[in-house]
Amino acid sequence: MDIESYIRTTPDFPKPGILFRDFTPLLAHGPAFAALIDQLKARYADSQIDVVVGIEARGFVLASALAYALGAGTVLVRKAGKLPHEPHAQEYELEYGSSILEISRDAFQDGQRILIVDDVLATGGTVGAALKLIQSHFSVSIEALVFLMELDALNGRQKLPAVPIHSVFHY
């Protein structure tokens, strides 16, 4: 099945000159979504993953489905102010300003093997902040960073530490 055909390209969104890659049609098509998750499951089935981490917001969808397929748990990395108890936080820079990511203080047990999943690797800022947040506060093994799409021209991969990176599609 050609799952990439379910990714819709919308020109000039959210501003002129941007080609937005929208994967909501892929999520809406059950067989295509299942094929994507099956592909990722096959890649990591022998990795003994304990937890799949999803980055807000679209990473939640992919991480949860992959965690279920692997028989693993799911941990959410949220934007500031969304977790109900005292979280660990990490500030990071955006193109125009800064933002904060948070994770629950009890998110992991020492030694767990994790995957970090998000929808798009662009500049690497968000996933870099998530990595720093996790590595600063937890003793876990980050097995890989997993993305549905990677925007190669933005060089986000080069800005990240030496962690295996897998992107299903490259644009």
Side-chain angles (χ1 to χ4, degrees):
M1 169 176 288
D2 179 17
I3 59 177
E4 189 172 16
S5 68
Y6 293 92
I7 297 176
R8 175 175 43 219
T9 300
T10 303
D12 299 322
F13 182 83
K15 61 184 184 179
I18 302 291
L19 282 177
F20 185 78
R21 308 291 180 171
D22 178 13
F23 75 98
T24 56
L26 186 144
L27 297 176
H29 189 271
F33 187 35
L36 169 66
I37 297 304
D38 288 346
Q39 176 185 341
L40 292 172
K41 177 186 176 185
R43 183 179 186 92
Y44 296 104
D46 295 332
S47 298
Q48 300 175 339
I49 300 301
D50 298 301
V51 177
V52 181
V53 176
I55 299 175
E56 190 162 339
R58 297 184 326 164
F60 293 173
V61 177
L62 300 171
S64 296
L66 181 55
Y68 175 79
L70 292 171
T74 304
V75 165
L76 307 179
V77 172
R78 305 283 328 251
K79 294 176 182 170
K82 305 263 182 162
L83 294 171
H85 65 282
E86 204 173 308
H88 292 299
Q90 178 67 49
E91 186 171 4
Y92 67 106
E93 297 303 314
L94 298 167
E95 187 176 354
Y96 299 105
S98 64
S99 191
I100 297 173
L101 291 178
E102 296 180 339
I103 194 167
S104 295
R105 289 182 180 266
D106 60 354
F108 306 107
Q109 296 174 14
D110 286 351
Q112 285 187 309
R113 299 168 62 92
I114 68 171
L115 295 175
I116 299 175
V117 177
D118 205 1
D119 60 331
V120 178
L121 173 56
T123 64
T126 303
V127 73
L131 270 169
K132 190 173 184 179
L133 178 62
I134 292 167
Q135 291 174 323
S136 298
H137 299 286
F138 301 99
S139 179
V140 295
S141 175
I142 299 171
E143 299 301 305
L145 307 176
V146 180
F147 303 94
L148 177 60
M149 300 174 276
E150 183 171 345
L151 307 179
D152 296 326
L154 297 177
N155 298 314
R157 178 181 291 253
Q158 286 72 33
K159 298 171 190 168
L160 297 172
V163 173
I165 298 171
H166 173 65
S167 299
V168 178
F169 302 113
H170 290 263
Y171 297 102

